[in-house]
Amino acid sequence: MPPKILLVEDEEKIARFLELELQYEGYLVEKAHDGREGLKKALEDNIDLIILDVMLPGLNGMEVCRRIRQSSEVPIIMLTAKDSTMDKVMGLDIGADDYVTKPFAIEELLARIRVALKRKRGKINENSKVLSIEDLKLDLEKHLVTYKDEPINLTKREFDLLKYLLKNKNIVLSRDKILEEVWGYEYAGDTNLVDVYIRYLRSKIDQKYNKKFIHTVRGVGYQIKDE
C-alpha cells in the first residue's frame, strides 16, 4: 500500500497542484481545506505524513500541529508564506518535523517527504518487536522465526541476516552493506559469505514453503519485498 499523505491547505489552486504532483509520485492523497477538518482527519484516518499550511481558517496550522502531537508522532511538514526564523522555530518547537517556505520547488518538497517517510520507517523498525512479511514472522524478543506459526530453525547468523533484510523490507541492499551490517568490518570484501547464507535462508524458507521472499537484484544485491 502506498503511503497516504494528508494535505491541509486552504488555497484551492495550490492544493490541487500538490495533489496531482503527489499522486503522480505514487502517493495516496487526502485533502482538508481548514484546520478543524485537517485535525479531524489527522487523528481519525490512517495517515503516513501530513503537509500542513500555517495560515488556515478555523484553526491555524501551529495549533493543529500542537494538538496532533498530543497523541500522534506522524511526520508533519509545515508550509508557510512567512520566511521568519521565529515562525520556523515555533513550528519545530511544537513538533513539526520539517518546514518549507512558499514559494518552493516541488522537487524540494518531494525530497523532504521522502526523508520524513524514511525516518518514520526507521522508527517503526526500531520500536517493533516482531518483523514480518505475509505469514513469515521474526520475533526479536523470543529470537524466534515462524511461517504460519510453524517454527523455523535458524542459526544465529541466519537469524541476524533475515532480521536485517526484514528491517529494510523493500530496500535493495548491496552485498557489501549486508556484510558490513551482519558480519562486521573484519569480513570486509568477502561478499561470497552473503551469497552462501542467502542460499541457506532460501532453502529453509523460500524453497521449503514455495514462497519467494528473498529477491536477487542482479549486479546490486538482495531484498525482501512485498509482491
Side-chain angles (χ1 to χ4, degrees):
M1 175 75 76
K4 182 186 286 188
I5 294 177
L6 172 62
L7 175 59
V8 190
E9 168 62 68
D10 64 318
E11 294 185 49
E12 182 58 42
K13 286 184 179 179
I14 294 176
R16 182 57 177 156
F17 166 72
L18 290 175
E19 180 183 28
L20 291 172
E21 291 289 337
L22 292 169
Q23 288 175 340
Y24 181 77
E25 293 295 318
Y27 299 114
L28 301 177
V29 181
E30 284 276 336
K31 286 195 299 182
H33 298 294
D34 65 67
R36 294 192 184 281
E37 181 189 8
L39 178 62
K40 186 174 185 292
K41 288 189 174 184
L43 297 179
E44 294 179 0
D45 294 355
N46 187 20
I47 301 297
D48 295 297
L49 180 139
I50 300 171
I51 299 173
L52 177 64
D53 191 27
V54 171
M55 303 298 290
L56 291 169
L59 205 63
N60 71 56
M62 295 289 187
E63 182 61 18
V64 173
C65 181
R66 187 186 70 78
R67 294 190 189 187
I68 290 171
R69 278 293 172 260
Q70 292 175 354
S71 59
S72 172
E73 290 299 315
V74 61
I76 298 173
I77 299 176
M78 301 199 76
L79 302 180
T80 182
K82 298 180 180 180
D83 191 13
S84 162
T85 300
M86 283 307 297
D87 282 332
K88 292 181 180 179
V89 169
M90 185 184 301
L92 296 171
D93 278 350
I94 61 176
D97 294 83
D98 208 344
Y99 210 104
V100 179
T101 304
K102 299 176 184 177
F104 53 85
I106 186 64
E107 291 81 9
E108 177 189 3
L109 178 59
L110 291 172
R112 290 172 185 248
I113 289 170
R114 288 192 293 270
V115 169
L117 289 173
K118 185 175 181 180
R119 191 180 300 131
K120 179 192 175 191
R121 285 196 298 269
K123 286 181 181 178
I124 292 172
N125 285 339
E126 287 172 9
N127 295 332
S128 177
K129 302 301 181 187
V130 177
L131 306 175
S132 66
I133 180 169
E134 297 181 29
D135 294 311
L136 179 65
K137 292 181 172 59
L138 184 148
D139 190 312
L140 294 168
E141 288 189 334
K142 297 179 181 177
H143 207 271
L144 176 68
V145 176
T146 58
Y147 181 77
K148 292 185 176 179
D149 297 325
E150 179 184 336
I152 300 172
N153 186 27
L154 299 182
T155 66
K156 182 182 182 305
R157 193 72 74 184
E158 291 165 354
F159 182 92
D160 290 344
L161 174 56
L162 181 62
K163 177 175 72 174
Y164 184 60
L165 291 170
L166 284 171
K167 276 194 170 187
N168 294 278
K169 187 168 59 176
N170 297 319
I171 298 173
V172 180
L173 302 166
S174 70
R175 289 173 174 83
D176 285 327
K177 185 66 176 173
I178 295 171
L179 192 67
E180 176 184 320
E181 294 294 329
V182 178
W183 276 267
Y185 291 106
E186 66 269 25
Y187 291 91
D190 192 5
T191 55
N192 183 54
L193 268 175
V194 176
D195 298 326
V196 169
Y197 275 82
I198 289 289
R199 286 200 299 272
Y200 292 162
L201 280 183
R202 280 175 168 160
S203 69
K204 291 183 177 182
I205 301 171
D206 294 37
Q207 293 164 17
K208 181 175 180 180
Y209 299 105
N210 196 28
K211 294 286 294 184
K212 186 160 185 166
F213 290 118
I214 304 171
H215 296 258
T216 301
V217 181
R218 294 194 181 280
V220 184
Y222 300 99
Q223 70 175 149
I224 282 183
K225 68 177 182 178
D226 295 312
E227 289 291 359

